[in-house]
Amino acid sequence: MKKILFIAFILSTITGIAQEKHFITDEAYRKQTMLMFEKQKQLAIKREVDLFAVFNQNLSLEEREALYFLYAYMPLSDLADYQGDFYLQQVKAIFEARATFSWGKNIPEMIFRHFVLPCRVNNENMDTARVVFFKELKDRIRHMSMKDAALEVNHWCHEKVAYQGCDARTSSPLNTVKNALGRCGEESTFTVAAMRSVGIPARQCYTPRWAHSDDNHAWVEVWVDGKWHFLGACEPEPDLDLGWFAAPSKRCMMVNTTVFGNYWGDEEVLQKNERFTKINLLANYAPVKTIYVKVINKIYQVVDSAQVEFQLYNYAEFYPIAVKTIGKSGLASLKTGYGDLLIWASKGNEFGYEKVCVENKDTVTIILDKKPGADYSLDMDITPPIPREIEVIVSDQTRELNNNRVKYEDSIRKSYENTFMDSLTAINTAKTNGLDVEETRMILQKSRGNGLEIQFFLNQTKSEYKYLCLPLLEAISDKDLHDVTVDVLFDHLYNAQLSDKYDTSVNVEYIINPRIGDEMIKPYKSFIQAKFSAKKEMNAMQIADWILTNIKIDNSANYYRLPITPRASLELSITDAASRDLLFVAICRSLGIPARLEPATKIPQYYDWNGWNNQVFEKKDENTASKSTIVLQSDTSNGMIIPEYSTHYSIEKFKNGKYYTLDYEMDNRLKTFPCQINVESGDYLLVTGNRKQDGAVMASLRFFILKPNQTIDLPIKLRKSKQAAKVFGKINDNVEFENYNTHKSFNYQQVKDKYSILIWLEPGKEPTKHALVDISKLKTNFEKWDGNMIFILPRNFDKTFDNQLINEMPKQSLLVNDKNDVLKEIETTTKLKFAENLPLIIVVNEKGEIIYLSNGYKIGIGEQLLKLF
């Protein structure tokens, strides 16, 4: 009754303010939003003052309804970890932006509601970037057209941030700017935040996995003058719909975005619940086809509510690029690209699968005729969509003007980076505090724009805790050094309950350490200790029982899967299962019990005299106590290639009808063979894959059973390619290059070897950075190879090149300028176009024949080259 009266009151209040303009003009949508708002209010009832007192302020009708919309559809993490005043600030800022710029009044209500108003882009830590960015950008773009403003904002973003790979946690936009570096997910989150701050609708686009290469990518779409256009985040081009990823995106099998709220656009819906809508954008980039899936049981009856995963091979696993449920029609469908997929259907513990070539099939029937408990192997050949040419119409003059701007923007960012803490200051900080000089210097160097914060922590730490400063800073991640604050560090250092029972490494890593998973790290030890002050002697089992009794689990409400911080989970008394596991570890650590998330399975564990113990919260996981061992053996016939986890193979464990990959990618135990891992008994799947030059994969799947306390040998054997050598063209011995360092010209004949690798670079762009990193990782292997490597800077490249990556190349490397545009000759002899899709990598034999060719974005290029030899 109270709920009905509340909604009636709100609706009657809104209806009575006739003179004000509604933010949500559709009455049915407005009522639906209010119903969701009330549901969210009940979910967050324990934070009523922190979140909902803001509605007692004098708000306009538009402000009030915009807040209702945000509250109605925000994920649980945002109800838990942020304050009402924060959201009101976001709303006021976006209405100011709409009023400031000429395009504000022309944006349709639905587009503005879903792609401008929301302050969350993806799974980043949110901050006040909207307010900061608006102030910095408004005078710069105020008198521009909407299109020119979007291009200009991206130039501004490039002044602030450049690409660098890093861990999976997404930093906040302001911290990305402070660090001046970010992976593509952070660059695109930052760029979307910047666009929205000035009222330009924007969304983050994401190919969850490439089809032709390992890895994924994120970029940005902006809504300009009635249409969506793409751009590379922090990678300004002369026009919209240009970017290095334009060519590889034509080979995608999926591009998607998650839309905040109940969205009813024209795009295919991949997933929808009451808080969000995930949509398919692939048709904006590549040729598409709809494939239909029917799921039946062994007696040919349609299986209602069966789950269907459309899986794509990438990183040595079959990754679900979309998940659908069989509806009343008996079918599930997906609009996807013209490559191969593994269709996996399941219900309960029964499953079935089929490899499908989308180009050749319209409807697939999957029979649920399999259960766990089988031991067998099979091979699969996976083919990606074919490469397709892109048309780029940009004049040389326009391109040159843009390139000059980009170089200038690089210098602006470099000037900012030059303000980061220098080595002399770091050395003096170490000496002042009696700390190891080299360790201190390295930590302050890694902290980049956060150096003053880290220095303050080192200087202000109490003398009796100084010896723990560096170990604590080394325990957190490199990215944590970029944005951790002193209040976090002091809380976890001063309130750590250390024990002589454990050595220093256990005390630091699993008691003091604030970093548990991918959560936003905040102070929580003092809060938890105060909350459990009467229960200081609780053991791990008692902590788990307390959580089971007092914390409610809601997995559907936290749809971005952003971890909820431990303190927020306690305050809200509601969390999701993954954040519940974080909470268990946090309480244990706060009460002096070493705890962690097991690196591969992410199961929460606590440490005692018997070693690490699993804490099982779900009844279906109770069998995880039985330990077994897998001994991994490498097939020595692979030559110079040592199989790597998540590159050549992965191990997956069966649960609820499908296999889940264990996360051993960063585990040093698996760097050499033979090696062993201790796992739970159960049903497993070994996936191996050998990616060929054209992006196709020769995969193998081995299903096997691991009994309790059993030890098995598991050979990692990659299928070998029988792909015939191909000659793509020839290179003339007399073509000339210029030595980058000496500026002397020379003929190719003077440096050619039995085999030569020539690499045309596009400095500063993500594909080139990936290629150089891939080669540097295999530097030792290349130095054993009898051939040379020539790294070529493009014609008219007059910017000083960052030699750091080249210095990490094999010793037989040479850096040259392509002053005579040899690239154009290569295009002529191969009858292909490369200038808009670098890097170009060719291998030339002693006859001058080009026997290998790769261009554009590709992960694992170093390995591909070694395989050739």
Side-chain angles (χ1 to χ4, degrees):
M1 185 64 181
K2 185 184 292 185
K3 177 178 176 180
I4 295 171
L5 288 172
F6 172 80
I7 295 174
F9 169 75
I10 292 293
L11 291 175
S12 64
T13 301
I14 293 173
T15 306
I17 311 176
Q19 69 274 21
E20 288 198 69
K21 181 182 176 183
H22 283 289
F23 175 70
I24 304 173
T25 58
D26 183 281
E27 186 177 354
Y29 195 95
R30 192 163 64 244
K31 289 179 179 179
Q32 181 187 60
T33 298
M34 292 309 302
L35 287 169
M36 273 303 299
F37 171 80
E38 176 62 14
K39 181 174 181 177
Q40 294 278 80
K41 186 172 184 181
Q42 293 304 310
L43 191 65
I45 194 68
K46 291 196 173 182
R47 298 198 71 225
E48 186 169 13
V49 174
D50 289 337
L51 275 173
F52 298 96
V54 70
F55 288 96
N56 297 327
Q57 298 184 32
N58 185 21
L59 306 175
S60 71
L61 181 57
E62 277 200 305
E63 289 172 343
R64 188 174 294 274
E65 288 186 359
L67 278 174
Y68 287 148
F69 177 78
L70 288 179
Y71 276 59
Y73 298 111
M74 66 175 57
L76 185 62
S77 58
D78 295 355
L79 291 172
D81 273 306
Y82 299 88
Q83 308 295 314
D85 288 338
F86 170 80
Y87 294 115
L88 178 57
Q89 182 187 40
Q90 303 294 309
V91 167
K92 286 181 178 294
I94 212 59
F95 284 141
E96 182 181 0
R98 188 178 66 177
T100 299
F101 304 107
S102 59
W103 53 84
K105 62 182 180 294
N106 298 322
I107 300 171
E109 178 186 318
M110 183 179 74
I111 296 294
F112 188 90
R113 186 170 65 227
H114 294 282
F115 302 108
V116 180
L117 174 64
C119 38
R120 174 163 299 290
V121 178
N122 194 338
N123 59 353
E124 75 279 10
N125 302 327
M126 293 194 298
D127 57 25
T128 57
R130 173 169 291 179
V131 177
V132 175
F133 295 170
F134 172 75
K135 289 178 180 177
E136 188 162 342
L137 283 165
K138 65 177 180 178
D139 292 333
R140 182 164 171 166
I141 65 169
R142 188 193 297 268
H143 302 296
M144 292 182 175
S145 68
M146 193 178 191
K147 176 182 175 180
D148 289 342
L151 292 169
E152 188 65 27
V153 170
N154 204 26
H155 276 287
W156 177 84
C157 289
H158 179 248
E159 291 175 11
K160 303 293 184 182
V161 177
Y163 175 82
Q164 181 171 290
C166 55
D167 66 38
R169 178 172 70 87
T170 304
S171 66
S172 72
L174 286 178
N175 278 318
T176 299
V177 171
K178 182 167 68 172
N179 181 41
L181 292 173
R183 56 178 170 79
C184 62
E186 289 166 323
E187 288 183 305
S188 52
T189 296
F190 159 54
T191 304
V192 169
M195 294 289 180
R196 291 180 180 178
S197 76
V198 293
I200 297 174
R203 59 193 184 190
Q204 182 188 54
C205 302
Y206 182 55
T207 181
R209 295 290 189 272
W210 294 111
H212 72 289
S213 171
D214 285 344
D215 212 355
N216 53 26
H217 189 55
W219 59 89
V220 173
E221 283 187 352
V222 290
W223 188 93
V224 172
D225 300 329
K227 185 181 177 183
W228 288 102
H229 300 267
F230 71 79
L231 54 84
C234 307
E235 297 170 334
E237 295 282 354
D239 205 345
L240 298 173
D241 299 320
L242 296 176
W244 63 261
F245 54 88
S249 67
K250 286 190 175 295
R251 305 183 73 183
C252 283
M253 297 294 284
M254 175 55 60
V255 177
N256 64 44
T257 191
T258 299
V259 184
F260 186 97
N262 185 18
Y263 173 70
W264 294 101
D266 297 329
E267 303 90 345
E268 179 192 11
V269 174
L270 295 171
Q271 185 182 359
K272 190 179 186 71
N273 77 4
E274 57 189 2
R275 293 178 178 85
F276 76 97
T277 311
K278 181 175 283 190
I279 57 175
N280 187 350
L281 304 177
L282 182 61
N284 294 354
Y285 300 92
V288 296
K289 177 182 177 181
T290 300
I291 187 167
Y292 296 89
V293 179
K294 182 179 182 180
V295 180
I296 59 176
N297 58 24
K298 287 185 282 190
I299 57 174
Y300 303 103
Q301 296 172 322
V302 171
V303 181
D304 186 31
S305 301
Q307 190 176 79
V308 178
E309 291 192 349
F310 298 83
Q311 299 180 350
L312 177 65
Y313 179 93
N314 193 289
Y315 277 139
E317 66 175 352
F318 285 92
Y319 181 88
I321 58 171
V323 180
K324 297 287 188 85
T325 301
I326 297 293
K328 293 179 181 179
S329 66
L331 293 172
S333 65
L334 179 71
K335 194 178 291 183
T336 186
Y338 283 79
D340 292 353
L341 292 171
L342 178 62
I343 311 295
W344 187 286
S346 64
K347 187 169 184 179
N349 267 359
E350 295 183 331
F351 63 92
Y353 54 84
E354 182 178 335
K355 193 211 88 170
V356 174
C357 174
V358 174
E359 185 171 3
N360 298 332
K361 206 144 189 176
D362 297 311
T363 303
V364 184
T365 299
I366 305 291
I367 305 175
L368 300 188
D369 58 356
K370 296 177 177 61
K371 289 185 177 181
D375 193 330
Y376 63 98
S377 300
L378 63 119
D379 293 338
M380 277 186 194
D381 294 325
I382 307 296
T383 303
I386 61 172
R388 298 178 188 272
E389 288 190 9
I390 57 171
E391 185 179 9
V392 178
I393 305 175
V394 177
S395 69
D396 290 343
Q397 183 181 10
T398 302
R399 174 67 70 188
E400 185 174 358
L401 286 171
N402 188 75
N403 288 344
N404 289 336
R405 276 206 70 180
V406 167
K407 293 169 191 174
Y408 175 67
E409 291 155 9
D410 286 336
S411 70
I412 293 174
R413 189 176 59 257
K414 192 66 178 177
S415 295
Y416 166 67
E417 291 179 293
N418 288 338
T419 68
F420 294 169
M421 193 163 296
D422 57 53
S423 294
L424 182 59
T425 305
I427 291 168
N428 288 336
T429 300
K431 290 179 177 178
T432 300
N433 291 284
L435 302 171
D436 182 273
V437 170
E438 184 58 22
E439 288 183 33
T440 305
R441 187 188 68 79
M442 287 297 295
I443 285 171
L444 287 170
Q445 180 182 343
K446 287 180 181 179
S447 65
R448 295 181 61 80
N450 203 38
L452 291 176
E453 191 84 1
I454 302 300
Q455 183 189 44
F456 183 85
F457 168 68
L458 295 175
N459 288 338
Q460 297 301 315
T461 297
K462 298 173 184 176
S463 57
E464 62 268 32
Y465 291 92
K466 288 283 188 187
Y467 76 102
L468 289 170
C469 281
L470 295 182
L472 168 55
L473 294 172
E474 288 170 343
I476 62 179
S477 70
D478 287 354
K479 185 177 288 183
D480 291 334
L481 292 174
H482 300 159
D483 55 18
V484 71
T485 56
V486 291
D487 60 325
V488 170
L489 294 171
F490 285 144
D491 175 79
H492 289 277
L493 181 60
Y494 292 161
N495 295 295
Q497 298 184 3
L498 307 181
S499 172
D500 294 336
K501 294 187 295 184
Y502 312 118
D503 60 31
T504 301
S505 63
V506 172
N507 273 319
V508 171
E509 188 72 32
Y510 305 115
I511 293 180
I512 301 177
N513 191 359
R515 167 62 58 214
I516 301 172
D518 290 330
E519 77 282 7
M520 173 171 54
I521 55 176
K522 284 189 170 182
Y524 62 71
K525 279 193 172 68
S526 56
F527 175 83
I528 289 175
Q529 288 167 4
K531 185 173 182 67
F532 291 91
S533 59
K535 305 174 182 179
K536 289 183 179 179
E537 303 305 318
M538 290 175 73
N539 60 35
M541 297 295 289
Q542 291 169 327
I543 292 170
D545 288 341
W546 185 93
I547 291 174
L548 285 168
T549 303
N550 294 279
I551 304 296
K552 180 182 176 181
I553 302 300
D554 187 329
N555 288 320
S556 65
N558 202 27
Y559 58 90
Y560 273 112
R561 296 177 184 167
L562 182 69
I564 300 170
T565 61
R567 176 169 180 163
S569 292
L570 288 171
E571 289 179 334
L572 201 61
S573 297
I574 300 174
T575 195
D576 60 277
S579 301
R580 181 264 326 273
D581 295 346
L582 289 174
L583 176 61
F584 171 79
V585 173
I587 296 174
C588 284
R589 290 185 182 182
S590 299
L591 301 184
I593 303 168
R596 68 176 187 180
L597 299 179
E598 201 281 326
T601 63
K602 308 307 177 189
I603 293 173
Q605 295 182 319
Y606 62 91
Y607 186 81
D608 62 17
W609 60 272
N610 199 33
W612 288 106
N613 305 274
N614 288 346
Q615 176 53 55
V616 178
F617 285 101
E618 312 292 342
K619 288 184 178 180
K620 57 192 174 187
D621 292 334
E622 285 180 353
N623 64 347
T624 59
S626 301
K627 298 287 184 182
S628 301
T629 302
I630 297 175
V631 180
L632 298 169
Q633 304 281 356
S634 173
D635 175 16
T636 57
S637 65
N638 289 325
M640 289 193 284
I641 304 299
I642 298 173
E644 291 186 28
Y645 198 87
S646 293
T647 298
H648 304 102
Y649 73 100
S650 66
I651 298 170
E652 305 177 13
K653 190 174 190 301
F654 186 84
K655 182 179 177 181
N656 300 332
K658 48 193 173 182
Y659 288 84
Y660 294 85
T661 303
L662 303 181
D663 186 7
Y664 288 112
E665 183 179 2
M666 306 305 293
D667 195 322
N668 289 326
R669 294 175 300 170
L670 278 65
K671 301 296 183 187
T672 57
F673 292 90
C675 56
Q676 73 175 43
I677 52 175
N678 298 317
V679 297
E680 314 299 341
S681 58
D683 289 86
Y684 286 86
L685 169 62
L686 169 68
V687 178
T688 63
N690 185 5
R691 194 177 287 278
K692 298 191 289 186
Q693 177 184 336
D694 61 2
V697 177
M698 297 180 297
S700 295
L701 293 79
R702 179 186 168 185
F703 298 83
F704 64 98
I705 309 158
L706 197 55
K707 298 176 182 177
N709 304 312
Q710 182 184 16
T711 298
I712 67 165
D713 287 340
L714 193 62
I716 309 300
K717 187 172 184 177
L718 306 182
R719 295 168 58 199
K720 293 184 178 179
S721 173
K722 296 179 181 178
Q723 197 169 1
K726 177 181 177 181
V727 175
F728 295 89
K730 293 193 72 172
I731 185 170
N732 191 319
D733 282 353
N734 295 320
V735 297
E736 285 192 349
F737 296 105
E738 179 188 84
N739 187 296
Y740 176 80
N741 295 310
T742 66
H743 302 292
K744 292 182 178 179
S745 296
F746 61 90
N747 292 333
Y748 169 67
Q749 185 178 18
Q750 295 173 250
V751 295
K752 77 173 186 178
D753 211 323
K754 182 177 180 181
Y755 291 101
S756 298
I757 301 173
L758 284 73
I759 305 175
W760 275 264
L761 308 173
E762 190 171 19
K765 292 297 179 73
E766 185 176 336
T768 289
K769 290 181 179 180
H770 276 298
L772 294 177
V773 169
D774 281 347
I775 292 170
S776 69
K777 287 178 180 177
L778 296 167
K779 177 180 179 181
T780 303
N781 303 71
F782 278 108
E783 289 177 347
K784 295 176 183 177
W785 163 68
D786 185 21
N788 61 19
M789 306 184 77
I790 303 173
F791 294 87
I792 306 166
L793 297 172
R795 188 168 68 95
N796 298 327
F797 183 78
D798 57 4
K799 174 183 154 189
T800 302
F801 185 65
D802 183 358
N803 275 324
Q804 181 179 350
L805 281 174
I806 293 297
N807 292 337
E808 296 170 4
M809 294 300 106
K811 62 185 179 183
Q812 65 267 47
S813 299
L814 179 65
L815 180 62
V816 304
N817 292 316
D818 191 4
K819 289 292 186 181
N820 296 303
D821 206 3
V822 178
L823 178 61
K824 187 163 286 187
E825 291 193 31
I826 301 298
E827 289 183 329
T828 300
T829 188
T830 61
K831 299 179 181 179
L832 297 169
K833 297 288 186 182
F834 307 114
E836 297 293 338
N837 198 17
L838 297 176
L840 168 66
I841 302 172
I842 64 173
V843 176
V844 183
N845 64 19
E846 56 191 345
K847 298 177 184 178
E849 296 171 331
I850 300 171
I851 60 170
Y852 175 92
L853 185 151
S854 171
N855 70 301
Y857 182 91
K858 187 177 287 186
I859 297 296
I861 195 67
E863 180 188 321
Q864 288 287 332
L865 292 169
L866 287 175
K867 285 177 182 176
L868 185 67
F869 306 121

